[in-house]
Amino acid sequence: MALSNVVETPASGFNFENVSRNVALKGLLEGGHTKAPKPMKTGTTIAGLVCKDGVVLGADTRATSGEVVADKMCAKIHYISPNMYCCGAGTAADTEKTTDLLSSNLTIFSMNSGRNPRVVMAVNILQDMLFRYRGQIGASLILGGVDCTGNHLYTVGPYGSIDNVPYLAMGSGDLAALGILEDRFKPNMELEEAKELVRDAIHSGIMSDLASGNNIDICVITKQGVDYIRPYQESEYKDKRQRRYKYRPGTTSILTEKIVPLELEVVQETVQRMDTA
Amino acid sequence: MFATQVYGDNGKMKEYHYTGPVEHRFSPYSFNGGTVLAVAGEDFAIVASDTRLSEGYSIHSRDSPKCYKLTDTTVIGCSGFHGDCLTLTKIIDARLKMYKHSNNKCMTSGAIAAMLSTILYGRRFFPYYVYNIIGGLDEEGKGAVYSFDPVGSYQRDTYKAGGSASAMLQPLLDNQIGFKNMEGVQHLPLSQEKAVQLVKDVFISAAERDVYTGDALRICIITKEGIKEETVPLRKD
């Protein structure tokens, strides 16, 4: 049976093709005394809430690799469809690829059926895929969107669990953010108040959690359209270094120099005008 | 969300991917983060540390400096496991008092360094999880820096970084103070103002990229006039 949203029907049952490959790779690497590469995690604070006019999603922008900050301005709010965006916490590659795959599948569905996808459909596809991989894909996602049935906010866990909630926070800074949300959330909030609340929730996650930090991104989804504000608030800590650290040319010593001339012969010359209108 | 596959093949608990570190069995040590740095000049020494105390992904305190004043001419910076840092500094203080009462004079920086080495090696088989750096003035009034490993190996240096961001700071100091890997640059001796500026800049950079370093920077400048302390704010996120 051909599904309207996927190019290839996934094989039934659990797919463990890569397990034996991973074990073999690990043996190869550990045998040669090299460590297997550690995946980069986002170590994040993400939050979302449903307000009167739509859905507001927020995220910090720090990606850590162990205890080192790998990326100070990484984008954690991913595009799914014109009416849906998804925040991702967990392993960075997993969240990016999962959301990319979901987005492609939903585009195919839109073209096949001529409709905008609904949020429940996206959530079911995500749940299907994550459960099939039994938690090996480390992606905790907050999916928010507006469709013909209303404004929705869902969370999908790495093992495939879902929850439909009015407000939510995920990631390593989730407890700090949830504290703020629990205190000030009211149903049917105004848009500006909702944006401030999400911003405050992410800010508390940034200050309390070492793995979250830097700037705050906000994404507002309404019936009229999407407002992706990146960054909504820049980090207040600017570079205040006192000395200049520029090097004069010639500071790096040149040990040897080898010049190899390329023998080129002009065989044919054509000119093609570019349309610069 | 409940995890069903929590135990791995060998019976030990598996780590969660998306939360912070999980304790498998009781470990007497814990890592509380922090970075220390010491620079020795012609007639001064600087010992600097950040003031963040953390554990896992949380912050215990934003105002816990890691420089401790030992005598009028010596400051020690300790980072690593905070419990051992506190005990070690208490022991050093007691030994300094004992020395003063027996010998009727203060311990010199070199003597403190030698004593610390024996104290640390005394616990060779259950070490103090502390990275120490002593900064001070020697008998001739010149700046001295002594850097240690957790079991007592030490040497005298011109500059040294220790703690969680040490791997980020040490190469920068090698280049700016030691003039390593540079051609045709004048080897000017380090002045006190330039050294303080360099220390502040270097910690600002460390706070950008190391999650355990931040909040504030405490600088202790040791000259023959005494010890001056300065506090500079750093990133709090």
Side-chain angles (χ1 to χ4, degrees):
Chain A
M1 179 197 81
L3 288 171
S4 62
N5 66 322
V6 285
V7 178
E8 282 170 13
T9 346
S12 59
F14 301 132
N15 182 353
F16 287 103
E17 279 170 6
N18 286 336
V19 172
S20 40
R21 177 205 72 170
N22 288 345
V23 169
L25 263 181
K26 195 160 178 231
L28 261 176
L29 284 171
E30 292 310 61
H33 300 292
T34 29
K35 278 207 138 113
K38 250 189 121 131
M40 179 170 95
K41 296 199 198 168
T42 50
T44 298
T45 307
I46 48 177
L49 62 81
V50 177
C51 62
K52 194 171 75 177
D53 302 317
V55 177
V56 181
L57 300 171
D60 73 308
T61 59
R62 176 181 283 183
T64 51
S65 189
E67 63 179 45
V68 178
V69 175
D71 192 351
K72 295 192 267 193
M73 192 62 181
C74 95
K76 299 186 190 176
I77 308 186
H78 309 283
Y79 167 85
I80 303 287
S81 76
N83 59 332
M84 275 193 268
Y85 272 74
C86 180
C87 306
T91 309
D94 287 343
T95 57
E96 274 179 38
K97 288 302 175 190
T98 308
T99 47
D100 267 353
L101 200 58
L102 177 65
S103 172
S104 314
N105 281 345
L106 288 181
T107 316
I108 295 171
F109 165 79
S110 294
M111 290 179 190
N112 264 334
S113 64
R115 292 181 169 84
N116 255 344
R118 296 192 190 180
V119 184
V120 279
M121 179 175 187
V123 168
N124 276 309
I125 297 174
L126 274 178
Q127 178 185 41
D128 207 30
M129 183 181 142
L130 291 176
F131 181 71
R132 205 168 355 116
Y133 283 95
R134 305 300 267 140
Q136 297 299 315
I137 296 186
S140 310
L141 307 165
I142 295 185
L143 182 69
V146 173
D147 58 25
C148 53
T149 49
N151 314 329
H152 302 282
L153 186 70
Y154 281 90
T155 165
V156 187
Y159 289 89
S161 55
I162 57 169
D163 204 3
N164 182 6
V165 277
Y167 62 92
L168 182 62
M170 299 279 267
S172 55
D174 59 355
L175 292 177
L178 214 43
I180 304 285
L181 287 172
E182 290 281 5
D183 188 35
R184 285 165 35 191
F185 177 79
K186 294 185 299 289
N188 291 328
M189 285 170 82
E190 290 299 329
L191 198 58
E192 283 310 310
E193 209 188 329
K195 272 159 64 174
E196 273 309 298
L197 179 54
V198 170
R199 182 246 144 224
D200 286 343
I202 303 288
H203 184 74
S204 102
I206 285 177
M207 297 305 268
S208 318
D209 180 38
L210 294 178
S212 312
N214 298 97
N215 308 326
I216 302 178
D217 289 347
I218 296 263
C219 182
V220 182
I221 310 168
T222 53
K223 237 186 171 71
Q224 286 75 34
V226 171
D227 192 11
Y228 190 161
I229 314 168
R230 176 173 154 81
Y232 181 73
Q233 185 185 295
E234 289 225 335
S235 168
E236 62 211 68
Y237 308 108
K238 292 282 179 226
D239 182 5
K240 287 188 295 276
R241 282 186 283 220
Q242 298 173 332
R243 283 177 62 194
R244 318 215 67 223
Y245 294 93
K246 278 191 107 74
Y247 296 106
R248 245 183 349 98
T251 306
T252 307
S253 52
I254 298 176
L255 298 175
T256 51
E257 201 174 307
K258 181 175 174 191
I259 302 176
V260 177
L262 290 175
E263 307 281 334
L264 291 178
E265 206 183 283
V266 179
V267 175
Q268 190 198 37
E269 193 178 307
T270 53
V271 176
Q272 191 175 44
R273 293 187 89 73
M274 257 174 62
D275 184 15
T276 50
Chain B
M1 273 163 288
F2 290 107
T4 48
Q5 212 188 3
V6 158
Y7 288 89
D9 296 324
N10 52 359
K12 279 218 191 115
M13 255 182 91
K14 278 211 313 230
E15 226 189 58
Y16 286 106
H17 342 263
Y18 52 94
T19 51
V22 176
E23 215 174 47
H24 299 295
R25 35 176 303 211
F26 176 71
S27 163
Y29 297 118
S30 122
F31 182 61
N32 295 115
T35 308
V36 286
L37 162 48
V39 176
E42 187 55 44
D43 57 352
F44 67 92
I46 298 176
V47 179
S49 78
D50 73 323
T51 60
R52 174 177 282 176
L53 194 70
S54 45
E55 187 165 354
Y57 282 133
S58 332
I59 302 181
H60 278 316
S61 166
R62 293 196 199 271
D63 187 18
S64 167
K66 291 158 193 66
C67 320
Y68 301 93
K69 179 172 152 250
L70 298 178
T71 67
D72 283 331
T73 53
T74 320
V75 172
I76 187 171
C78 314
S79 74
F81 170 40
H82 194 61
D84 277 349
C85 294
L86 294 175
T87 308
L88 190 59
T89 44
K90 279 203 182 102
I91 290 178
I92 298 175
D93 277 334
R95 292 287 295 266
L96 283 176
K97 278 205 185 96
M98 283 156 59
Y99 182 95
K100 182 125 193 250
H101 288 137
S102 330
N103 302 85
N104 204 21
K105 69 174 179 129
C106 278
M107 276 184 102
T108 60
S109 294
I112 298 178
M115 178 185 76
L116 180 56
S117 171
T118 13
I119 294 176
L120 291 173
Y121 198 79
R123 287 269 295 252
R124 169 68 179 84
F125 298 110
F126 182 15
Y128 290 108
Y129 182 1
V130 190
Y131 294 94
N132 295 293
I133 306 186
I134 291 181
L137 302 174
D138 64 8
E139 288 101 336
E140 296 159 23
K142 292 206 172 82
V145 164
Y146 297 93
S147 62
F148 293 78
D149 80 343
V151 277
S153 153
Y154 80 108
Q155 66 178 35
R156 185 169 171 173
D157 280 317
T158 321
Y159 55 86
K160 188 76 173 160
S164 62
S166 58
M168 291 183 207
L169 300 183
Q170 190 67 28
L172 189 47
L173 296 176
D174 281 337
N175 179 266
Q176 293 292 315
I177 304 181
F179 302 106
K180 301 262 169 70
N181 300 111
M182 289 207 290
E183 282 268 308
V185 180
Q186 242 189 332
H187 286 22
L188 298 160
L190 197 62
S191 72
Q192 189 176 320
E193 294 76 35
K194 213 149 154 250
V196 172
Q197 270 181 356
L198 182 65
V199 165
K200 288 180 186 166
D201 289 349
V202 129
F203 263 93
I204 291 174
S205 302
E208 288 278 321
R209 288 284 176 175
D210 181 34
V211 303
Y212 295 123
T213 304
D215 291 327
L217 167 64
R218 173 72 67 90
I219 309 183
C220 302
I221 307 168
I222 307 149
T223 49
K224 63 179 193 299
E225 274 90 46
I227 300 180
K228 199 166 63 122
E229 283 185 6
E230 212 182 304
T231 308
V232 171
L234 291 175
R235 289 185 82 102
K236 290 189 165 54
D237 61 3

